[in-house]
């Protein structure tokens, strides 16, 4: 038996009255925050169990390997992204053009957040994509899902399908640029460029 698991008794009290669902949520919430702030490779299982308030034994019972946690965190992040983006687009109203440009207003709000450190999926791919096929696949699926969503919004305004790829690349570039420059105005510039592309496609 792993001596760390055998000796890890001080934290058991934190999980005795926790359901598996509650413990899983605490682990994923802690992992998401730590991975996004410090990087996926920099955070070990011991630091994660401490932040989540679960025993190492409970942590390994829920997630036998760190890769399982990384995959679950990315899937969780994907759901959060889709939900928040869809809500922002819905709040823009019924006008198709406003709905499409709302994507960039959503990016601006995100870039203004104090804890913004770029796209978690790009970060994960940069750290792990070259050696972890599962992570690479999750990132590709997430990015493909965004392009499909943009294609739906582009179709609503009656523009050529090629515009969706152009606007998606613009949004992806804005995320990376904002992370490096720490300047949320990147989203404003991206929105202005999107307007030019939309007008050109509709001309």
């Amino acid at each position: 038996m792993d001596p760390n698991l055998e000796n890890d008794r001080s934290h058991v009290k934190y999980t005795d009255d926790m359901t598996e669902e509650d413990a899983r949520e605490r682990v994923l919430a802690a992992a998401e925050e730590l991975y996004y702030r410090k990087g996926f490779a920099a955070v070990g299982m011991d630091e994660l169990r401490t932040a989540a308030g679960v025993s190492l034994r409970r942590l390994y019972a829920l997630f036998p390997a760190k890769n399982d946690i990384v995959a679950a965190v990315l899937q969780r992040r994907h759901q959060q992204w889709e939900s928040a983006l869809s809500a922002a687009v819905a709040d823009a109203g019924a006008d198709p053009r406003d709905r499409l440009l709302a994507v960039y207003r959503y990016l601006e709000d995100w870039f203004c957040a104090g804890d913004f450190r770029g796209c978690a999926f790009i970060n994960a791919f940069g750290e792990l994509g070259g050696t972890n096929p599962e992570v690479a696949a999750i990132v590709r699926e997430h990015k493909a899902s965004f392009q499909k969503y943009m294609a739906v919004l582009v179709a609503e305004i009656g523009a050529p399908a090629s515009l969706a790829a152009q606007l998606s690349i613009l949004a992806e570039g804005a995320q990376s640029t904002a992370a490096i420059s720490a300047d949320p105005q990147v989203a404003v510039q991206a929105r202005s460029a999107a307007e030019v592309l939309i007008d050109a496609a509709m001309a």
Side-chain angles (χ1 to χ4, degrees):
M1 178 180 291
D2 187 331
N4 289 325
L5 297 181
E6 179 67 21
N7 296 328
D8 181 39
R9 302 189 182 281
S10 62
H11 292 272
V12 174
K13 61 185 178 182
Y14 294 118
T15 61
D16 284 344
D17 59 349
M18 219 188 302
T19 67
E20 181 172 327
E21 182 178 351
D22 288 340
R24 179 183 174 84
E25 175 59 26
R26 287 181 66 166
V27 169
L28 291 180
E32 182 176 354
E33 191 277 330
L34 286 171
Y35 291 160
Y36 190 59
R37 177 165 54 87
K38 302 179 69 173
F40 292 85
V43 180
M45 297 293 266
D46 193 60
E47 181 178 7
L48 177 55
R49 69 88 181 257
T50 300
V54 302
S55 67
L56 203 59
R57 186 188 301 276
R58 186 72 176 271
L59 178 57
Y60 277 109
L62 291 167
F63 301 99
K66 181 177 178 178
N67 192 57
D68 299 324
I69 304 176
V70 172
V73 164
L74 291 176
Q75 295 290 1
R76 185 177 189 262
R77 192 91 174 185
H78 171 72
Q79 294 171 357
Q80 293 170 345
W81 161 269
E82 288 201 330
S83 177
L85 181 59
S86 297
V89 170
D91 288 344
D95 182 80
R97 181 187 174 91
D98 289 344
R99 287 166 55 82
L100 186 51
L101 291 173
V103 171
Y104 300 92
R105 294 189 181 90
Y106 171 74
L107 292 180
E108 183 180 3
D109 290 341
W110 180 30
F111 296 170
C112 287
D115 64 346
F116 174 72
R117 288 177 175 80
C119 171
F121 295 88
I122 294 175
N123 297 346
F125 191 83
E127 283 194 60
L128 307 172
T131 58
N132 191 317
E134 183 179 3
V135 168
I138 292 172
V139 173
R140 291 190 180 104
E141 289 171 6
H142 170 75
K143 296 303 182 182
S145 176
F146 175 61
Q147 290 192 13
K148 289 177 183 177
Y149 184 65
M150 292 297 282
V152 171
L153 296 178
V154 164
E156 289 180 357
I157 67 171
S162 59
L163 179 62
Q166 296 169 358
L167 295 179
S168 296
I169 291 172
L170 185 59
E172 297 290 359
Q175 294 174 51
S176 297
T177 302
I180 295 170
S181 67
D183 182 6
Q185 286 301 304
V186 169
V188 176
Q189 297 160 2
R191 185 169 68 245
S192 296
E195 291 180 305
V196 173
L197 288 172
I198 293 169
D199 289 343
M202 299 296 291

